[in-house]
Amino acid sequence: IGEGMEDQAQDLQDEAEDKIERYFGMLEGRSEPLEDDAREEAAKHLAAERGAVRGATKQAGEEAEKVPAAAKKAAAEAKAEAKAAKAKEAAAAAVPTEVAPEAKDATKAADGA
């Protein structure tokens, strides 16, 4: 009897192990497609993010290339404004605010002639 019960216990253990293996096999069969879908979705999202980063990097590079030209243009404009202000000051200094008496006499003589 003991030997028969031992055999029966072994048979039940084998049957339980088979059921457990089939159950986990079924779970793997169901979960693998879901995992694959999740991986594909993550890969698509990653590709989109990389594309956005590349676009932003390219745009930043293009804007950075414009900076030296804009700085040069601003410096040239400032230089031109300074030159114009200096010329205006020189012109204002060259025009006398009072007319010298000799000039008045020369103007009167020219008007009388």
Side-chain angles (χ1 to χ4, degrees):
I1 294 183
E3 204 173 292
M5 289 185 79
E6 203 175 289
D7 289 341
Q8 188 178 5
Q10 185 64 44
D11 290 343
L12 288 172
Q13 184 178 352
D14 290 344
E15 185 180 334
E17 287 176 0
D18 288 343
K19 286 183 179 182
I20 291 170
E21 285 182 28
R22 279 195 310 255
Y23 177 74
F24 281 108
M26 178 192 67
L27 289 179
E28 285 180 353
R30 289 182 182 175
S31 66
E32 285 179 1
L34 296 174
E35 290 172 2
D36 291 343
D37 290 346
R39 271 190 227 103
E40 287 176 19
E41 190 64 31
K44 287 178 187 176
H45 181 72
L46 179 61
E49 291 297 318
R50 283 183 177 161
V53 168
R54 282 189 193 110
T57 302
K58 181 179 177 184
Q59 184 179 2
E62 290 170 354
E63 292 299 318
E65 289 175 2
K66 295 177 184 177
V67 170
K72 187 175 181 179
K73 181 180 176 184
E77 288 173 356
K79 187 176 179 180
E81 288 175 9
K83 188 175 180 180
K86 195 172 187 180
K88 185 177 178 181
E89 287 176 14
V95 174
T97 53
E98 282 188 32
V99 178
E102 302 84 29
K104 285 182 185 177
D105 292 341
T107 304
K108 285 181 186 177
D111 287 339

